[in-house]
Amino acid sequence: MGENKRLRFPFDFKEITEEEKLEIKRLFNYPKIDLIRVGPKDYLMPRAYIEHAENIYNLPIRSSDVYVASFQRAGTTWTQELVWLLANDFDYETALSVPITHRYPFLEIYMLYTEWRKDCLANIDKVESIEKKERILKMLEVMCQPVTEKLAAMPSPRFIKTHLPMSFLPPNIVDTAKVIYIARDARDIAVSSYHHARLFRVLDFIGEFKDFWDIFRSDRFIQSPYFEHVKEAWNLRHHPNMLFLFYEELAKDLPAVVRRVADFLGKEVTEEQMTRLCDHLSFENFKKNKAVNYEDLKEFDIVSPKENFIRRGKAHGWHDYFDEEMTQQADQWIEDSLRDTDLRFPNV
């Protein structure tokens, strides 16, 4: 997309309410979270998104690009690894040695870390080890450099991760590149997002799960509303360049999903390759894989030592968290949210 065809970002921005600001201050310990609403669906985004929205909307798309998209905690990392290995002829040596954050630029991650980066740089002289300073600076480059700049210099094929709704991405994305979208039961997303918000210091959620559930189902968590996010991708599921997956399908029959992804990418998979890939992607092996589990970030105090990025690898684990009232709330919320669509989540 050339500069002469640059498109205006089509959505407006508006401030969150004072009530929402007070709730964020009460439940999130990091004091510099600053959120706004975007567009007619009121997606909740970091304020830094305002500066970069148009650049992302006009991102030049290559026909060889592969995007893995989702709302957070839907099985994104699992899907990324599956896609990358199929597309790269089962290069396990690279997959085990190069962090997935380096293999997949995360399109909007830097927006969350604008203020965090300032804090890190302000305190970097307190770090005595030159080697650790260098590692911190490298980490900040990965987390905080606008990915639009990084992508322009990357060779093809590019593998890109995003949690942005489809309407925020370039309008020609599915006409040009391949997009794999992964969705998951909203109740499991809520549970996993709760732990995620406790894991990453940039959020540092300090409430109980019930507090988080109230926030999540009322569309007051980052990049909510959840169902609008999923429905945007669902409405594109018949496009030949869009593959829509459910987390529950991966959990129930991983080989079947591998075959669907392989067909989508135009790849062949032998039985021997299938066996090794499914073993590599098994939860027990995945949670021990340092290239995908973000354990290295604990060194930089970006993540809490009390939580893990790869948690349980389980579908419908929400039953362990929901009481009867919350279950009834969820049933009604899901019914209301899916009333205008044929989208239904697998009950496995």
Side-chain angles (χ1 to χ4, degrees):
M1 195 178 297
E3 284 296 319
N4 59 331
K5 295 182 180 179
R6 189 172 176 84
L7 301 173
R8 175 187 171 275
F9 183 68
F11 304 120
D12 294 329
F13 305 96
K14 64 182 180 184
E15 298 296 325
I16 63 175
T17 67
E18 288 302 317
E19 179 188 357
E20 288 172 321
K21 290 177 183 177
L22 289 172
E23 186 175 45
I24 289 168
K25 187 175 182 180
R26 178 175 70 87
L27 293 173
F28 293 86
N29 204 32
Y30 187 60
K32 298 182 180 178
I33 296 174
D34 192 7
L35 301 173
I36 53 162
R37 295 279 182 187
V38 185
K41 296 174 184 175
D42 281 339
Y43 285 112
L44 194 61
M45 298 293 293
R47 184 175 296 276
Y49 181 62
I50 296 174
E51 181 183 349
H52 301 283
E54 192 166 294
N55 285 339
I56 290 174
Y57 197 70
N58 286 275
L59 183 71
I61 306 294
R62 303 175 191 170
S63 60
S64 56
D65 287 344
V66 179
Y67 284 76
V68 174
S70 68
F71 193 90
Q72 67 166 346
R73 310 308 293 167
T76 324
T77 308
W78 204 11
T79 307
Q80 285 177 261
E81 187 77 342
L82 187 166
V83 168
W84 193 91
L85 281 164
L86 284 173
N88 287 277
D89 300 321
F90 305 98
D91 181 2
Y92 291 100
E93 182 179 353
T94 300
L96 290 166
S97 60
V98 178
I100 201 162
T101 49
H102 293 254
R103 289 180 277 136
Y104 275 86
F106 185 177
L107 192 55
E108 68 277 6
I109 184 65
Y110 58 93
M111 300 175 196
L112 282 170
Y113 286 90
T114 302
E115 296 300 323
W116 186 274
R117 179 178 182 274
K118 293 176 184 176
D119 289 349
C120 284
L121 291 176
N123 292 298
I124 198 165
D125 288 339
K126 297 176 183 178
V127 179
E128 295 181 2
S129 166
I130 294 177
E131 182 183 349
K132 185 170 183 179
K133 278 185 182 180
E134 290 175 350
R135 290 201 303 274
I136 290 172
L137 291 171
K138 180 65 177 176
M139 175 272 300
L140 289 174
E141 180 184 341
V142 171
M143 303 285 279
C144 304
Q145 180 189 5
V147 175
T148 46
E149 299 174 5
K150 211 176 295 184
L151 287 174
M154 281 185 68
S156 296
R158 303 180 302 186
F159 297 85
I160 301 158
K161 166 187 172 180
T162 184
H163 292 319
L164 292 175
M166 295 301 299
S167 58
F168 289 6
L169 297 171
N172 67 330
I173 187 168
V174 291
D175 292 328
T176 308
K178 289 190 178 297
V179 179
I180 297 103
Y181 187 95
I182 179 83
R184 187 181 188 184
D185 187 298
R187 294 160 293 193
D188 281 334
I189 291 278
V191 170
S192 193
S193 292
Y194 161 68
H195 287 283
H196 194 69
R198 286 160 52 92
L199 171 68
F200 279 88
R201 302 285 198 193
V202 74
L203 297 173
D204 207 4
F205 184 78
I206 56 176
E208 300 299 322
F209 176 68
K210 202 157 192 172
D211 298 315
F212 188 88
W213 168 243
D214 286 339
I215 286 175
F216 188 78
R217 70 184 176 91
S218 57
D219 302 331
R220 288 176 288 170
F221 186 59
I222 287 178
Q223 292 180 330
S224 295
Y226 173 66
F227 283 109
E228 292 302 325
H229 196 293
V230 178
K231 283 189 282 189
E232 286 193 18
W234 179 253
N235 290 339
L236 294 168
R237 70 192 183 282
H238 296 306
H239 193 290
N241 281 342
M242 166 67 85
L243 180 63
F244 191 102
L245 303 174
F246 288 104
Y247 180 94
E248 292 78 11
E249 295 172 327
L250 273 79
K252 182 181 181 181
D253 191 348
L254 183 57
V257 176
V258 169
R259 291 187 190 97
R260 286 179 62 196
V261 176
D263 288 344
F264 182 68
L265 297 174
K267 297 290 184 177
E268 298 286 337
V269 183
T270 67
E271 288 304 314
E272 183 180 350
Q273 289 169 334
M274 178 70 77
T275 300
R276 184 173 180 190
L277 180 59
C278 289
D279 181 64
H280 177 83
L281 294 172
S282 70
F283 177 71
E284 288 305 312
N285 287 329
F286 208 59
K287 71 179 181 180
K288 294 183 289 189
N289 183 348
K290 293 183 178 180
V292 299
N293 64 20
Y294 289 75
E295 287 295 305
D296 56 321
L297 294 183
K298 290 182 177 177
E299 174 189 5
F300 308 116
D301 200 35
I302 284 181
V303 296
S304 166
K306 298 178 182 179
E307 295 278 353
N308 296 307
F309 185 78
I310 306 293
R311 291 184 53 252
R312 299 175 68 184
K314 180 180 176 183
H316 299 305
W318 63 267
H319 290 284
D320 299 335
Y321 287 77
F322 280 59
D323 59 25
E324 185 176 348
E325 179 189 22
M326 295 160 75
T327 300
Q328 291 174 354
Q329 289 170 342
D331 289 344
Q332 188 62 56
W333 178 49
I334 293 168
E335 180 183 341
D336 292 344
S337 299
L338 298 183
R339 186 168 288 135
D340 64 345
T341 177
D342 60 354
L343 169 65
R344 297 296 180 269
F345 289 77
N347 186 20
V348 295

